[in-house]
Amino acid sequence: MSIPPPGPYADAGASAVAGAAVPPADPLALLDDPQEWPAFGRPHGAGAPGAAPQDTAWESHVVLGGMHCAACALTIEEALRRVPGVLEADVSAATCRARVVWQPGQVLPSDWMRAVGRAGYQAMPAMDALAREHRVREHRRALWRWLVAGFCMMQVMMYAWPAYQAMPGDLSMEMEQLLRWASWVISLPVVLFACGPFFSSALRDIRQRRVSMDLPVAAGMLITFVVSMLGTFDPTGPFGHEVYYDSLTMFVFFLLTGRWLELRLRDRTAGALEAVMNRLPDSVERLDGEKGGFTRVATRRLRVGDVVRVLPGEAFPADGCIVAGSTQADEALLTGESTAVDKPQGAAVTAGSYNLRAAVQVRVQSLGEDTRFGQIVALMESASLQKPRLAQLADRIARPFLIGVLLAAALAAAWWWPTDPGHALMVAVAVLVVTCPCALSLATPVAMLTAAGTLARSGVLVRNLQALETLAGVDTVVFDKTGTLTRDGLSLQEAHVAPQAGLARDEVLGLAALLARHSLHPVSRAVAAAGGADLTGWSLGEVQEIGGAGLVAAVQGPLAGTLRLGSPAHARLAPQGEGQQAALSLQRGEEVIELARFAFAEELRPEAVAVVRQLQQAGVAVQLLSGDRGGAVQRVAARAGIDTAQGDCTPQDKLERLRALQQAGHCVAMVGDGLNDGPVLAGAHVSFAFGRAVPLAQSKSDLAVMGDNLGLVAQTLTLSRRTLHIVRQNLWWAAGYNALGVPLAIAGLMPPWLAGLGMALSSLLVVANAARLARDQGNARALAIPSDAPQPAPIPLEMA
């Protein structure tokens, strides 16, 4: 197994968990240092508090080299699961990544990475500079192989052309033999260099006694070359009638063209997930407490409390607080909005966001998996390694299908052998090449991962890849109200100052705001935000907050007494009208003076009406379930255009209503963000949680909306339907291509070069079709209405 030089691991130390000395010549053993494990993984599950890294199971992510198909993924999974101490192993053929859960007391990273090497593949830590360098090298080698195959193909075609055009007697035996020898010489670089990956993979399969998609292709290449070589060395023998160097070089060129373009497209589409996950810088400037200057260190060496300097254009390496300087940050990853956010001194910054304007110094407050970026990466890594049902079906049939391909090729050769042995072998080659199920194995995962990458760039994280397939069939969407259809807080709709107060309006509002600032209740925040005059000559005594009632404090100034802000009953006043009310009063002995009345409204999100309309136009029924009072819920539903709404719902009521819809045959998606939404989010077919939702809601959801724009729900539904449509197109194309190509190949009507072209085009078409989902991002974002859109009229709440 080829391992790159240690590079960033040079300072890691080579001690294993047991403390035994490790030979410095073994670069993989450098990864056995527990200090290196967080660089490509995290503790798995809940370990004991304060437990050492080696006492807790670890979940590591690695990038794999040398794999091309679903059969390769199954092979690596089997090799990893056979290693004692490896608890789980999941491999994605579409992303060439693996997730490995292992127990440090039984196995170390070098052990299970060597198992991958013994299976014939390469494994290296994910989210590391080595992985990116390896990808660049792979692209460069693939390009060189393609160029060599293309140049040699043109030369071989030049030598083959006279034999095709010559009439009987035009070419002498010596001239024809010379052209064959020239073609043989030109074909050698193709066989020895350009075909290298196919032959090495096939040899690995033979040694491991398994079948992958490269085995029939490599067998076809080898058969074609050997038959042509026999015809060159012995022109009077059974295979001397014709040589096939032109067919060999052509279908090798076509296969490499398709594989190289496929690699580029996959990096550009499904690779968007990896682009998001690799946003953190490899190194950062850290303040040296002893020398007083900044020195550049690896990001994984940072500790909480360190002060780092982040330059313009760099990503913030951790969550922290700006202690010197001011700038603007791009937080699109966290909110889905590309607008720059001002970051003055003292402002909080988040890992993975970009510093846009000026160098700032940041004190590190949280690192790795404790950051919001770390949580996002964990969700994306989990999703990228999941296999939807359609992909699992393709994986299951891949190996039996390949065995059937080999048998079909053998039977086709046996059928044609009595007629012409050379032609019989070429028929077998055509069958081997044309039936390779690369397109079938790529049809589902590439489309799903492309959609997940597109949504990630828009601000929606797919926690469960299967949810995209399920979401496409949703016919009912159920919304929570507060914090989902409406904003989290309240707005002051009306403030009525009592004439008997004897104070100016601004003075009364200022007095109310002075008291309200001592509470975080939504009503208090709305009163405080209303402003008012800056008061001089007024002072408050100790402020008390009475739960469910309001605030009370002694006040000194032009008026003296007990100031009360809260419900009318708390203010010793009678309620008036409907809706959410608050009152401000001054009590002096038994006398209660009404100062002001406040009416509040719950703000409907500006995009809510349009989102509900779009869902309904797409044939999706929309319902509203909320724990708020029925009158308020009905008013919100009417304003949003929702016909079916129910208030006064407990969490159990919501779950029972959801199950009733499911039992009636509906496929239901739930959108919520509150603590009481956890059970119903878990019970829905598909669930959305806004990114600012409580952790329980996020843990039960299939998709997390990182911003505050409800339009992302409609965007995701639209894209999921588009994704499933493309998946079905890909599967029908793969099946139809094989149904047409196999009979033509068996009948001898498809030469090997045409079979190679068909195979390359089928895989390329599947990936290119999936790439259209990335272009759908701009169209889908039109559904996500900007947050500064005109605000619908506030909706009064029923009095609490």
Side-chain angles (χ1 to χ4, degrees):
M1 174 180 173
S2 172
I3 299 296
Y9 300 116
D11 62 341
S15 61
V17 172
V22 177
D26 186 1
L28 269 184
L30 297 176
L31 300 175
D32 293 342
D33 183 355
Q35 294 184 5
E36 292 299 317
W37 299 349
F40 60 102
R42 63 184 66 87
H44 180 72
Q54 51 267 41
D55 297 331
T56 304
W58 275 76
E59 176 183 314
S60 297
H61 292 261
V62 294
V63 175
L64 301 167
M67 61 179 297
H68 305 290
C69 63
C72 296
L74 296 176
T75 298
I76 297 174
E77 284 182 356
E78 293 172 357
L80 286 169
R81 290 169 181 168
R82 285 197 298 264
V83 177
V86 172
L87 308 179
E88 300 176 25
D90 299 297
V91 179
S92 170
T95 59
C96 296
R97 296 170 66 93
R99 166 184 169 272
V100 184
V101 178
W102 50 283
Q103 186 63 49
Q106 303 177 36
V107 69
L108 292 172
S110 62
D111 298 326
W112 50 262
M113 284 191 181
R114 289 191 189 96
V116 175
R118 288 192 295 270
Y121 302 89
Q122 292 177 312
M124 62 203 71
M127 297 178 63
D128 191 274
L130 292 178
R132 291 192 288 274
E133 292 173 5
H134 175 76
R135 185 182 296 277
V136 171
R137 287 196 300 270
E138 283 292 317
H139 280 233
R140 188 177 295 117
R141 282 195 291 263
L143 181 59
W144 272 109
R145 291 191 182 99
W146 176 74
L147 290 174
V148 169
F151 176 79
C152 292
M153 176 196 69
M154 290 187 291
Q155 297 300 313
V156 170
M157 287 300 298
M158 182 178 65
Y159 294 131
W161 186 254
Y164 285 125
Q165 294 297 314
M167 301 297 292
D170 288 351
L171 282 179
S172 64
M173 180 66 69
E174 292 79 7
M175 179 58 69
E176 185 174 357
Q177 190 64 11
L178 179 62
L179 293 176
R180 289 188 178 186
W181 277 100
S183 298
W184 177 75
V185 171
I186 297 297
S187 299
L188 286 176
V190 176
V191 175
L192 299 179
F193 176 67
C195 296
F198 300 101
F199 288 143
S200 60
S201 178
L203 184 61
R204 180 176 62 219
D205 292 339
I206 294 173
R207 288 174 177 172
Q208 299 288 333
R209 296 179 180 179
R210 63 173 186 251
V211 178
S212 75
M213 296 183 190
D214 281 343
L215 182 58
V217 175
M221 294 174 179
L222 185 61
I223 292 172
T224 305
F225 183 72
V226 169
V227 168
S228 300
M229 189 170 60
L230 291 175
T232 302
F233 291 173
D234 184 12
T236 60
F239 303 104
H241 176 68
E242 189 177 358
V243 294
Y244 305 94
Y245 297 115
D246 53 338
S247 292
L248 171 66
T249 54
M250 285 180 69
F251 82 72
V252 169
F253 175 74
F254 291 143
L255 290 179
L256 291 176
T257 300
R259 183 162 289 188
W260 184 69
L261 292 175
E262 174 190 324
L263 185 64
R264 293 289 302 272
L265 283 170
R266 287 167 68 178
D267 285 348
R268 194 175 298 174
T269 53
L273 292 173
E274 186 173 337
V276 172
M277 291 188 284
N278 287 328
R279 288 170 68 102
L280 294 188
D282 298 322
S283 61
V284 67
E285 294 183 355
R286 182 176 63 184
L287 180 64
D288 191 325
E290 298 179 358
K291 300 179 181 179
F294 287 91
T295 57
R296 187 160 287 275
V297 298
T299 299
R300 64 179 180 276
R301 297 299 184 187
L302 293 179
R303 297 292 180 266
V304 174
D306 286 348
V307 174
V308 298
R309 181 166 61 190
V310 183
L311 303 177
E314 288 185 338
F316 291 100
D319 288 354
C321 177
I322 296 179
V323 295
S326 62
T327 185
Q328 288 186 328
D330 176 5
E331 297 184 343
L333 173 68
L334 306 176
T335 65
E337 298 290 341
S338 58
T339 305
V341 181
D342 291 329
K343 295 293 180 181
Q345 184 172 337
V349 295
T350 54
S353 59
Y354 283 107
N355 180 12
L356 297 179
R357 295 189 60 183
V360 292
Q361 295 181 26
V362 177
R363 186 177 302 279
V364 175
Q365 295 176 335
S366 56
L367 291 159
E369 62 180 354
D370 296 329
T371 65
R372 188 182 178 100
F373 176 79
Q375 297 169 4
I376 292 173
V377 168
L379 293 178
M380 297 180 70
E381 284 179 333
S382 175
S384 67
L385 289 165
Q386 293 172 0
K387 295 179 181 178
R389 286 192 297 265
L390 292 175
Q392 293 173 7
L393 176 62
D395 287 354
R396 285 196 299 269
I397 68 174
R399 283 186 176 172
F401 186 83
L402 287 169
I403 294 174
V405 167
L406 296 175
L407 292 176
L411 292 175
W415 173 266
W416 285 95
W417 189 270
T419 305
D420 184 346
H423 181 68
L425 292 177
M426 289 304 99
V427 169
V429 168
V431 173
L432 289 172
V433 175
V434 79
T435 55
C436 188
C438 289
L440 183 64
S441 67
L442 291 172
T444 299
V446 171
M448 291 290 187
L449 289 172
T450 302
T454 300
L455 289 172
R457 293 192 298 271
S458 299
V460 180
L461 295 184
V462 182
R463 296 184 67 255
N464 180 8
L465 210 58
Q466 178 62 42
L468 287 177
E469 184 180 332
T470 306
L471 183 61
V474 162
D475 59 14
T476 305
V477 174
V478 177
F479 285 99
D480 178 46
K481 182 177 71 68
T482 305
T484 304
L485 278 179
T486 63
R487 297 189 185 276
D488 292 330
L490 301 175
S491 65
L492 184 61
Q493 184 182 19
E494 183 181 357
H496 175 71
V497 177
Q500 61 269 30
L503 299 173
R505 176 184 177 85
D506 284 349
E507 197 170 13
V508 172
L509 293 179
L511 190 60
L514 183 66
L515 184 57
R517 293 190 187 102
H518 292 81
S519 171
L520 295 177
H521 191 277
V523 169
S524 298
R525 291 201 302 265
V527 172
D534 292 332
L535 300 180
T536 56
W538 293 85
S539 64
L540 293 179
E542 181 181 357
V543 178
Q544 294 182 349
E545 183 169 8
I546 301 173
L551 301 168
V552 59
V555 62
Q556 297 293 331
L559 295 177
T562 301
L563 194 64
R564 294 178 179 273
L565 174 66
S567 66
H570 172 71
R572 307 291 194 266
L573 300 173
Q576 294 179 358
E578 296 183 353
Q580 179 85 357
Q581 299 180 15
L584 178 68
S585 68
L586 181 69
Q587 183 175 0
R588 292 186 296 198
E590 297 298 325
E591 181 186 11
V592 178
I593 302 174
E594 179 179 339
L595 299 181
R597 297 264 186 171
F598 303 97
F600 302 92
E602 195 171 19
E603 292 182 325
L604 194 67
R605 291 186 182 275
E607 69 277 10
V609 176
V611 169
V612 170
R613 185 185 307 116
Q614 290 158 1
L615 291 173
Q616 292 171 341
Q617 290 174 351
V620 177
V622 180
Q623 297 190 15
L624 175 60
L625 298 179
S626 175
D628 288 348
R629 294 192 174 184
V633 172
Q634 294 297 330
R635 283 190 289 271
V636 169
R639 184 66 183 86
I642 299 175
D643 297 328
T644 304
Q646 182 174 335
D648 299 304
C649 293
T650 65
Q652 185 62 33
D653 293 336
K654 290 184 179 181
L655 187 58
E656 290 177 357
R657 183 66 181 267
L658 179 77
R659 288 174 175 168
L661 288 171
Q662 293 172 334
Q663 291 173 359
H666 295 286
C667 186
V668 185
M670 178 68 195
V671 186
D673 77 332
L675 179 63
N676 61 350
D677 292 329
V680 72
L681 288 174
H685 290 106
V686 185
S687 55
F688 290 83
F690 276 29
R692 297 179 183 176
V694 296
L696 176 62
Q698 289 187 5
S699 68
K700 300 298 183 181
S701 66
D702 298 307
L703 303 107
V705 181
M706 304 309 297
D708 283 333
N709 202 319
L710 203 62
L712 293 171
V713 175
Q715 168 185 340
T716 306
L717 177 67
T718 301
L719 193 61
S720 69
R721 291 184 172 182
R722 178 79 168 150
T723 301
L724 192 61
H725 178 68
I726 284 181
V727 166
R728 288 169 176 164
Q729 284 182 342
N730 287 347
L731 291 174
W732 276 110
W733 162 253
Y737 156 76
N738 280 279
L740 177 63
V742 171
L744 292 177
I746 292 177
L749 301 177
M750 179 177 287
W753 67 266
L754 185 57
L757 177 61
M759 175 191 167
L761 287 178
S762 65
S763 298
L764 187 60
L765 183 62
V766 163
V767 178
N769 195 31
R772 293 192 296 151
L773 292 168
R775 295 195 296 272
D776 283 350
Q777 181 184 13
N779 297 332
R781 275 193 174 179
L783 298 177
I785 300 173
S787 58
D788 58 355
Q791 172 65 42
I795 303 168
L797 294 172
E798 190 156 302
M799 182 177 62

